[in-house]
Each structure stands twice: as C-alpha cells, then as structure tokens.
Amino acid sequence: MQTKLNPYISFDGKAKEALEFYKTVFGGTLTLTTFKEGGVPDESVADQIMHGMLIAENGMTLMASDTPPGMPYNPGTNISISLSGENEAELKGYWDKLSSGGSIAVPLDKAPWGDMFGMLTDHFGISWLVNITAQK
C-alpha cells in the first residue's frame, strides 16, 4: 500500500453525523469504528467515533473522529493531517522529522487496534497523525 496523506477532522460528538453528511456529498464507502470497538473502556464515549473513514469512488479520502476524553476540542483548529501506510521505515522517518522541535501528544507505539500509531504537533503548530499498518 502506498503512503497516503489526507485531512483528519475532529468533532465534539458529531463525527458520525458529519461523515454521513459528507458521504451524501462525495459518495463512496464509509467505515466507522466506535471507541468501544477500538478497545477504549470509557463507557461515556463507547458509542462515539474513534475512527471514521470515507473513501470516495475517485479515491479522495476523508477521516474523522470524535475528540477523545482528556483532549481539548477547539473548533477552527480541529483538523489534523494523517499519514498512513505499511512502509514502516518511510513513516518512521516522517515521524522523526516532523517531531523534531515539535511536541509529541501520543508516542509512536503499538495501538489497541494492532497498528503503530502516534500523534504530534510540529514546530509550526500543525497536528499530525501517523498510523503504520500492522503486517499480516
């Protein structure tokens, strides 16, 4: 799988509603994973969206989630850039360069869903999500 770069939008409990709307705009296939399905034991967010992805027929990809407990939700600054793929060396290289001089919110490490995942803010204030797909 080729490495992908796409927008990732955070919502305050409305990710499912928003992604379903965007599906009516762009068409495509929508997949949703709740926090409960993703292994988060907090019942207060069990039915909220941990990760949603809309892939349009033309290949455009939009990802979104509800803001997890303990993380601030700031409308207007609620978009991150997602890097994802299978090439561990390539993605770790991006992680290392992007995190230099920035701040790491979630260290790049094995996630509950089996992939390697991390979150950081680069030295320009841009939020990045990096997900390295687990090898099968």
Side-chain angles (χ1 to χ4, degrees):
M1 172 202 309
Q2 186 176 6
T3 299
K4 295 180 182 180
L5 182 142
N6 56 273
Y8 202 112
I9 306 171
S10 296
F11 292 93
D12 193 20
K14 296 190 180 223
K16 181 178 181 182
E17 179 183 342
L19 285 168
E20 287 173 343
F21 167 74
Y22 295 135
K23 183 177 181 192
T24 69
V25 174
F26 300 110
T29 302
L30 176 60
T31 56
L32 300 170
T33 302
T34 64
F35 281 101
K36 183 176 184 177
E37 292 166 338
V40 175
D42 186 339
E43 285 300 314
S44 70
V45 294
D47 295 328
Q48 290 187 3
I49 302 304
M50 179 179 186
H51 178 70
M53 182 165 57
L54 175 63
I55 301 175
E57 283 86 7
N58 65 3
M60 289 190 310
T61 301
L62 177 63
M63 295 181 182
S65 69
D66 287 310
T67 305
M71 294 190 73
Y73 173 74
N74 300 309
T77 60
N78 54 324
I79 297 178
S80 299
I81 299 173
S82 171
L83 284 167
S84 57
E86 296 176 348
N87 189 327
E88 185 173 341
E90 177 184 37
L91 288 160
K92 280 186 173 179
Y94 294 145
W95 172 269
D96 291 343
K97 291 175 185 175
L98 288 166
S99 62
S100 178
S103 62
I104 295 174
V106 176
L108 185 62
D109 204 353
K110 186 162 178 144
W113 56 92
D115 296 347
M116 289 194 62
F117 176 79
M119 296 172 57
L120 65 90
T121 302
D122 69 20
H123 67 282
F124 292 106
I126 304 299
S127 297
W128 293 85
L129 311 171
V130 176
N131 192 90
I132 304 169
T133 305
Q135 298 300 314
K136 308 265 189 254

